Amino acid sequence: MNMQALMKQAQKLQKDMMNTKEEIDKTEFVGESSLVKVTMKGTKEVTKVEISHENSLEKEDIEMLEDMILLAVNEANKKIDEMTESKMGKFGNSMPGLF
């Protein structure tokens, strides 16, 4: 295989990787834990936090609520990582440090 063909193949791979990463970045992921729902972009930027108003919370419930928010954010992050691995894993380690 000549060098020009290898360069074209590498450029196509890079373009495919960037398109896939862009798709993930634009996707919204939702993590939920009891009273809390957190929405994040694929960039791991939290875009929305929703607390259920079905149950009235007392001051002593704040610590529990903080734990629920933490769990929901971590769940959303895990979903982002899973999709990133699923979609970007096909590229292998051809461009380390990209994601």
Side-chain angles (χ1 to χ4, degrees):
M1 188 179 277
N2 66 31
M3 187 60 103
Q4 204 171 33
L6 281 173
M7 288 299 293
K8 281 186 178 184
Q9 185 178 5
Q11 287 172 342
K12 182 186 181 322
L13 179 63
Q14 182 179 16
K15 183 180 178 185
D16 290 347
M17 289 174 64
M18 296 303 292
N19 288 341
T20 301
K21 180 65 175 136
E22 186 177 326
E23 176 189 344
I24 292 169
D25 288 349
K26 290 180 179 179
T27 302
E28 282 195 336
F29 297 85
V30 177
E32 296 184 66
S33 172
S34 301
L35 304 173
V36 179
K37 184 169 158 181
V38 176
T39 305
M40 301 174 74
K41 293 180 184 178
T43 58
K44 297 189 177 183
E45 175 189 350
V46 175
T47 57
K48 188 189 313 182
V49 174
E50 298 173 76
I51 299 171
S52 173
H53 292 83
E54 292 178 15
N55 301 316
S56 59
L57 298 174
E58 301 292 328
K59 283 187 177 185
E60 52 272 357
D61 291 329
I62 295 207
E63 186 176 309
M64 180 181 71
L65 182 59
E66 290 171 344
D67 290 340
M68 285 188 237
I69 291 171
L70 178 68
L71 290 171
V73 169
N74 286 336
E75 180 187 343
N77 274 324
K78 182 179 176 186
K79 289 178 181 180
I80 292 168
D81 290 342
E82 288 171 354
M83 180 179 272
T84 300
E85 177 62 31
S86 169
K87 291 187 174 266
M88 299 299 283
K90 66 184 174 189
F91 298 111
N93 291 327
S94 55
M95 299 193 77
L98 181 64
F99 57 93

